[in-house]
Amino acid sequence: MRKTTYGQLTQLSFMPRLFPVNCYLVKEEEGITLIDAALPYSAKGILQAVQETGKPLVRIVLTHVHDDHIGALDALKAALPEVPVYVSARDARLMNGDVSLDPGEPSTPIRGGVPKKLITRADLTFTDGDRIGSLLAVAAPGHTPGSFALLDTRSGALIAGDAFQTRAGIAVSGTLRPLFPFPALATWHKETALASARKLAGLKPSLLAAGHGPVLEQPADAIAKAIAAAERALGLKPATAAAAAAGTDREEDGHVAENRD
């Protein structure tokens, strides 16, 4: 496990050289928020990293429900049964192995490692715009129907789950990077993922923390390039894409202004 700290955010990266799977610790006044739960063997490292902060673990928040983001969840919940687990209302169904789609959702099958033997269930669910400690929950569907990103309203750090990857170069979920294709192959709906990437770009994050790959500081230019690459891959004309992004930026600027501390 490799541990790297950026202010109040710490990245824990498991298998960082071969197949990086990240989870994150967010330091709050009352304790630590864990975002995602990495791999089944990760529980010991996560608990040790939390202990080293000198603060208790007060909540576990999932960006989405895929095996490589909930791997240690059962072990963590067994060790700390009083710590609540937060999951988006939409992805909570995936904890039961329910891959059915809602009316109006694109009919593409849900992909990736949907858990089949998970014991833990959500203690609390959240939706777009909810606050979880200092974190603003931002709906970012595409990788899964209920994927979320979490914006630290104190610093502007964005924990994006698999809405982006930074391993083998930054990419929007669904855009294939040949040297690390796995997030793209596990993406439910590429067009929805692109719309979410535009939305997240509008938040103007100071730092991008993805589920796979290194943290990017001042990521605006890199995010813009990733979005442009996704647009090209989907055959979108730049003018159309720019107009859509501009509309998203105006909407998100207002949203962030209302919620930033």
Side-chain angles (χ1 to χ4, degrees):
M1 180 187 79
R2 183 173 65 199
K3 182 171 72 170
T4 313
T5 298
Y6 306 83
Q8 292 149 320
L9 179 72
T10 296
Q11 182 194 67
L12 306 180
S13 186
F14 297 88
M15 300 192 298
R17 294 183 180 179
L18 296 175
F19 191 108
V21 175
N22 303 329
C23 61
Y24 294 90
L25 306 181
V26 178
K27 187 177 290 188
E28 301 270 9
E29 187 173 340
E30 74 276 19
I32 301 297
T33 297
L34 170 67
I35 300 177
D36 289 336
L39 300 166
Y41 76 86
S42 303
K44 182 178 178 180
I46 291 170
L47 290 171
Q48 180 179 342
V50 171
Q51 184 178 23
E52 289 170 357
T53 69
K55 289 177 174 281
L57 184 65
V58 294
R59 62 182 69 88
I60 300 169
V61 184
L62 301 180
T63 61
H64 63 289
V65 179
H66 271 163
D67 284 336
D68 57 339
H69 291 256
I70 57 90
L73 186 61
D74 282 344
L76 293 170
K77 191 65 170 172
L80 298 168
E82 73 283 1
V83 174
V85 174
Y86 291 65
V87 185
S88 76
R90 178 63 183 87
D91 258 25
R93 283 165 38 195
L94 297 186
M95 298 179 110
N96 301 317
D98 179 0
V99 294
S100 63
L101 297 169
D102 287 341
E105 288 181 341
S107 58
T108 309
I110 295 174
R111 305 180 191 279
V114 175
K116 295 179 174 63
K117 298 181 180 180
L118 185 68
I119 297 170
T120 304
R121 297 293 182 264
D123 296 300
L124 295 159
T125 60
F126 57 85
T127 58
D128 192 38
D130 284 352
R131 288 289 291 265
I132 306 169
S134 296
L135 301 172
L136 173 67
V138 183
H143 190 66
T144 65
S147 287
F148 264 73
L150 297 151
L151 179 73
D152 192 324
T153 57
R154 301 166 297 179
S155 65
L158 182 69
I159 302 94
D162 284 355
F164 293 95
Q165 69 179 73
T166 57
R167 172 70 167 179
I170 187 172
V172 173
S173 184
T175 302
L176 191 71
R177 303 293 293 188
L179 294 179
F180 196 74
F182 310 104
L185 297 175
T187 294
W188 163 58
H189 193 255
K190 295 178 183 180
E191 291 80 3
T192 301
L194 174 57
S196 291
R198 291 170 177 157
K199 176 181 178 179
L200 297 179
L203 298 174
K204 297 179 172 57
S206 63
L207 178 152
L208 177 65
H212 304 279
V215 168
L216 299 183
E217 299 183 82
Q218 302 303 321
D221 289 346
I223 288 173
K225 290 177 182 177
I227 289 172
E231 291 164 348
R232 290 193 299 272
L234 292 171
L236 296 178
K237 296 180 180 179
T240 303
T248 301
D249 282 352
R250 287 191 294 271
E251 177 185 344
E252 291 307 314
D253 284 347
H255 189 54
V256 175
E258 292 173 3
N259 286 283
R260 280 270 173 95
D261 289 343

